[in-house]
């Protein structure tokens, strides 16, 4: 599945799926204006075994870097803002507000030591994950992971990993409504944050793999993996 993007100066808003058996493309849906319309530099992940696709961030014309967050049903061809979906979240799921305006400089004084979970927060309208583009996301049956990216306040790239609960199992909470920041164990002592954008990323067997992309404006062809808690 591919979604949105840019073709020359045209910002795209369509979502296409490729059938590996028939080797054909088919149009699955079009992002409506209320869900951001055209967007590029965003991430989109499909939860295995479902028709749910979660879309985060990117660059939106007339808005700039976005931290908007949507859920699309690829079968029903519908999308909804998770701000609206999660509006009825019970108060016991709302943790102390640790968010701050997206225009502020990110807090990176903690460097690349093990990062403790900073608490569960609402997404989208609570700025826990800065507006960004050129990041990556990866979905399994329990979580959507969002890593890296860049914006004007963090031109060198972000080094944080966020994990969004999308587990549909009974008693799993409220799928897609709460997330946390995942602790990442550095590959060696005194290693700076692995800040990347325009990279590739995957999560498998408890490891986050990061390959290629740009680091502080320079192309980087290295590949790392980190255990994720």
């Amino acid at each position: 599945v591919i979604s949105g993007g840019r073709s020359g100066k045209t910002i795209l808003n369509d979502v296409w799926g490729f059938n590996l058996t028939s080797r054909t493309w088919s149009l699955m849906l079009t992002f409506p204006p209320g869900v951001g319309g055209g967007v590029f530099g965003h991430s989109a992940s499909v939860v295995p075994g479902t028709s749910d696709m979660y879309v985060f961030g990117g660059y939106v014309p007339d808005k700039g870097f976005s931290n908007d967050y949507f859920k699309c049903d690829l079968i029903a061809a519908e999308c909804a803002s998770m701000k609206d979906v999660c509006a009825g979240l019970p108060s016991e799921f709302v943790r102390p507000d640790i968010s701050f305006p997206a225009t502020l400089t990110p807090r990176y004084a903690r460097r690349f030591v093990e990062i403790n979970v900073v608490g569960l927060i609402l997404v989208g309208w609570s700025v826990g994950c800065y507006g960004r583009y050129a990041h990556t996301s990866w979905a399994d049956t329990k979580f959507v992971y969002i890593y890296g990216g860049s914006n004007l306040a963090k031109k060198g790239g972000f080094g944080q990993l966020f994990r969004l609960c999308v587990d549909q199992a009974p008693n799993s909470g409220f799928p897609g409504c709460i997330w946390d920041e995942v602790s990442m164990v550095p590959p060696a002592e005194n290693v700076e944050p692995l800040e990347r954008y325009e990279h590739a990323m995957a999560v498998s067997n408890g490891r986050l793999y990061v390959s290629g992309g740009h680091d502080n404006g320079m192309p980087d062809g290295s590949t790392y993996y980190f255990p994720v808690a």
Side-chain angles (χ1 to χ4, degrees), residues 2 4 7 18-19 28 36 48 59-61 67 79 97-98 112-113 117 125 132 137 143 152 166 191 196 201 222 228:
I2 61 172
S7 177
F18 185 74
N19 188 309
M28 306 190 76
Y59 192 88
V60 179
N67 73 334
C79 295
D97 185 10
I98 59 167
F112 207 59
V113 297
V117 172
W125 66 103
R132 65 190 64 200
S137 64
F143 300 103
L152 293 179
V166 294
V191 174
R196 292 288 177 89
M201 183 267 281
S222 59
V228 290

Side-chain angles (χ1 to χ4, degrees), residues 58 65 130-135 147-158 196-199:
F65 298 104
Y130 295 97
R132 65 190 64 200
Y133 87 131
H135 54 285
Y147 179 76
S150 178
N151 63 22
L152 293 179
K154 191 64 177 174
K155 296 179 181 179
F158 288 98
R196 292 288 177 89
Y197 60 96
E198 298 179 342
H199 55 285

Side-chain angles (χ1 to χ4, degrees), residues 15-185:
V15 179
W16 292 78
F18 185 74
N19 188 309
L20 295 174
T21 301
S22 64
R23 301 181 183 180
T24 58
W25 288 97
S26 60
L27 180 64
M28 306 190 76
L29 62 91
T30 299
F31 291 141
V35 184
V39 61
F40 70 95
H42 59 294
S43 67
S45 298
V46 179
V47 178
T50 77
S51 59
D52 296 336
M53 180 177 73
Y54 290 87
V55 181
F56 177 79
Y59 192 88
V60 179
D62 302 323
K63 181 176 182 178
F65 298 104
S66 170
N67 73 334
D68 289 338
Y69 163 50
F70 305 101
K71 178 182 178 181
C72 298
D73 187 321
L74 297 177
I75 294 178
E78 297 175 344
C79 295
S81 168
M82 292 304 290
K83 175 180 179 179
D84 299 328
V85 172
C86 301
L89 194 68
S91 59
E92 61 265 27
F93 280 84
V94 180
R95 302 303 191 268
D97 185 10
I98 59 167
S99 64
F100 37 93
T103 55
L104 295 183
T105 301
R107 301 175 295 183
Y108 271 85
R110 56 191 162 196
R111 301 173 70 84
F112 207 59
V113 297
E114 182 173 353
I115 302 172
N116 292 324
V117 172
V118 294
L120 300 178
I121 58 176
L122 296 182
V123 299
W125 66 103
S126 223
V127 186
C129 193
Y130 295 97
R132 65 190 64 200
Y133 87 131
H135 54 285
T136 48
S137 64
W138 181 271
D140 58 26
T141 56
K142 291 186 177 181
F143 300 103
V144 170
Y145 297 87
I146 299 172
Y147 179 76
S150 178
N151 63 22
L152 293 179
K154 191 64 177 174
K155 296 179 181 179
F158 288 98
Q160 295 164 298
L161 173 67
F162 291 93
R163 182 180 65 182
L164 176 72
C165 178
V166 294
D167 190 355
Q168 299 286 347
N171 303 318
S172 62
F174 291 78
C177 289
I178 48 180
W179 63 4
D180 57 6
E181 184 178 346
V182 180
S183 62
M184 297 174 63
V185 181

